[in-house]
Amino acid sequence: MKKRVIIDCDPGIDDSLALMMALSSDAIDVIGITIVCGNSPIDMGFENAKKILHHMGRLDIPIYKGADRPLAKEYVNALDTHGEDGLGESFLEEIAGYDTHEQAVSFLARILHQGPCSVIALGPLTNFAQLIQEDEKAFDAIERLVSMGGTYRSHGNCSPVAEYNYWEDPEAAEIVYRHMEQTGKQIEMVGLDVTRQIVLTPDLLSYIERLDERQGAFIRKITKFYFDFHWSQEHLIGCVINDPLAVAYFLDPAVCAGFSSHVDLVTDGPARGQTIVDAFDFYHRSHNAYVLTKCDPLAFFQMFLALILHKEKESLDLLENLIGDRKGIS
Ligand code: BDR
Ligand code: CA
């Protein structure tokens, strides 16, 4: 039976690629999408999710708006990274429709009380901290919680030490990680140590276009701004696509490797949003996270392309040359 999954996101260019990937997989049933403010303000994130569902021919999937601001901090969007429309200034056609009466937290609670369901969280953890506050039992029913966020040894991407999703709402991340500790469960932390290795290069993009003109043109359109941003910010020719790795890891954990550890969140001061990973067990506290430290970019891109282009992995014969031994940036 297909695994039921809810995707929580803040689309966002890489969130959109992650949604495209998840919606192309036969192994999971995406039963709903919840939006959190992050890269884009909440209404823009909601509109962008519709645009992606429209592109994928999946307007049957419900979308729910969640938190429109972080729990305690002032909201700071990431439109400098994702463009003024949150989708790389692609200015795609607006998609009408969709009922917005039920809120994300209410939808999550309703579904989680019905039976097994996992979550792939691609934005700040605000909706999940609120779920813990409002309906702990529902949160505890989450089968697997895979979260793109945090970093262990790699530097931050919005401060020297913090990754954006956890920096944006550190109180929410703190509540979720602390709750995992209290319940003896583990959140699966897909942080910058691994996502930085997932670089969509101009060659890979050209390859995608050669294999599928429509999909290639769409990806080029929404990533152009992201390519430019990475050039000016990191002097990188290509763009780091963080969020799809969380989907790939959910689908096949063998794409990444890591270790269990206790993780604490810093909520204030210059280290705001930092994930303190107690890799050497100084604190002897329960391991509330599985922290990913290694990934296989070739395996990732094989899965990504096979899914979004509906190809057999074996037919992607050029991929190995295009990835080579590149490990992204560190
Ligand atoms: C994360 O922040 C956002 O910009 C991306 O969508 C990703 O979820 C990377 O730090
Ligand atoms: Ca995101």
Side-chain angles (χ1 to χ4, degrees):
M1 211 173 81
K2 289 188 182 188
K3 278 193 174 300
R4 298 190 328 147
V5 178
I6 294 172
I7 300 188
D8 185 82
C9 57
D10 57 337
I13 297 168
D14 57 336
D15 298 79
S16 300
L17 297 172
L19 285 173
M20 288 163 64
M21 188 180 186
L23 295 171
S24 305
S25 168
D26 289 336
I28 56 176
D29 186 7
V30 179
I31 57 172
I33 295 171
T34 53
I35 308 293
V36 61
C37 69
N39 295 322
S40 314
I42 196 76
D43 291 333
M44 188 185 285
F46 179 72
E47 294 304 322
N48 287 343
K50 282 198 276 177
K51 291 175 183 177
I52 299 304
L53 291 186
H54 176 253
H55 172 71
M56 297 300 287
R58 291 303 308 274
L59 285 168
D60 56 297
I61 297 180
I63 313 172
Y64 301 89
K65 286 187 200 174
D68 62 1
R69 56 179 182 275
L71 293 187
K73 301 285 189 278
E74 198 181 318
Y75 171 52
V76 181
N77 67 46
L79 298 182
D80 60 332
T81 313
H82 294 262
E84 69 174 83
D85 64 348
L87 266 187
E89 304 190 350
S90 54
F91 302 112
L92 298 173
E93 176 201 345
E94 297 289 333
I95 306 301
Y98 270 89
D99 169 5
T100 58
H101 294 320
E102 187 173 12
Q103 287 291 302
V105 171
S106 148
F107 167 73
L108 285 162
R110 179 163 62 79
I111 294 295
L112 288 162
H113 282 299
Q114 281 168 11
C117 182
S118 291
V119 167
I120 305 175
L122 307 175
L125 291 172
T126 321
N127 290 338
F128 298 96
Q130 287 180 343
L131 182 63
I132 291 170
Q133 289 167 340
E134 288 176 27
D135 189 339
E136 216 175 274
K137 278 209 172 86
F139 179 88
D140 292 342
I142 297 175
E143 216 175 5
R144 278 180 73 190
L145 174 53
V146 174
S147 162
M148 192 282 128
T151 187
Y152 166 42
R153 285 189 153 149
S154 200
H155 58 281
N157 63 357
C158 66
S159 88
V161 295
E163 177 283 326
Y164 173 76
N165 288 335
Y166 292 179
W167 177 90
E168 176 67 34
D169 195 344
E171 280 79 11
E174 209 260 327
I175 287 173
V176 171
Y177 275 74
R178 191 162 19 89
H179 187 80
M180 297 306 270
E181 177 179 0
Q182 284 159 0
T183 53
K185 292 191 176 163
Q186 291 189 353
I187 185 167
E188 297 169 63
M189 182 181 127
V190 186
L192 296 175
D193 303 88
V194 281
T195 66
R196 277 213 161 94
Q197 299 179 42
I198 305 301
V199 181
L200 178 66
T201 60
D203 276 356
L204 281 166
L205 183 53
S206 299
Y207 185 47
I208 294 173
E209 283 173 321
R210 293 285 176 196
L211 296 177
D212 184 330
E213 221 175 298
R214 175 178 178 266
Q215 202 68 299
F218 185 81
I219 295 176
R220 182 174 291 280
K221 200 170 196 176
I222 67 170
T223 56
K224 175 163 187 323
F225 189 93
Y226 219 25
F227 272 88
D228 293 343
F229 172 83
H230 279 81
W231 172 247
S232 59
Q233 191 72 17
E234 312 237 10
H235 226 60
L236 174 77
I237 299 185
C239 54
V240 177
I241 51 170
N242 305 278
D243 292 339
L245 185 63
V247 173
Y249 172 69
F250 181 84
L251 293 170
D252 182 4
V255 169
C256 298
F259 64 97
S260 299
S261 181
H262 182 268
V263 175
D264 252 336
L265 262 295
V266 179
T267 55
D268 292 291
R272 164 180 167 176
Q274 184 178 11
T275 35
I276 301 182
V277 178
D278 186 13
F280 298 98
D281 211 14
F282 287 106
Y283 302 138
H284 304 296
R285 287 172 64 180
S286 116
H287 291 182
N288 56 349
Y290 188 75
V291 179
L292 300 186
T293 52
K294 290 185 184 149
C295 80
D296 178 346
L298 176 60
F300 166 80
F301 277 107
Q302 275 170 341
M303 194 195 303
F304 181 63
L305 266 64
L307 285 173
I308 61 166
L309 306 178
H310 305 289
K311 303 267 181 217
E312 294 299 323
K313 282 185 188 165
E314 298 67 38
S315 72
L316 301 166
D317 48 355
L318 248 190
L319 206 45
E320 207 163 336
N321 297 337
L322 295 179
I323 305 281
D325 58 1
R326 80 192 320 280
K327 289 274 180 287
I329 50 175
S330 56

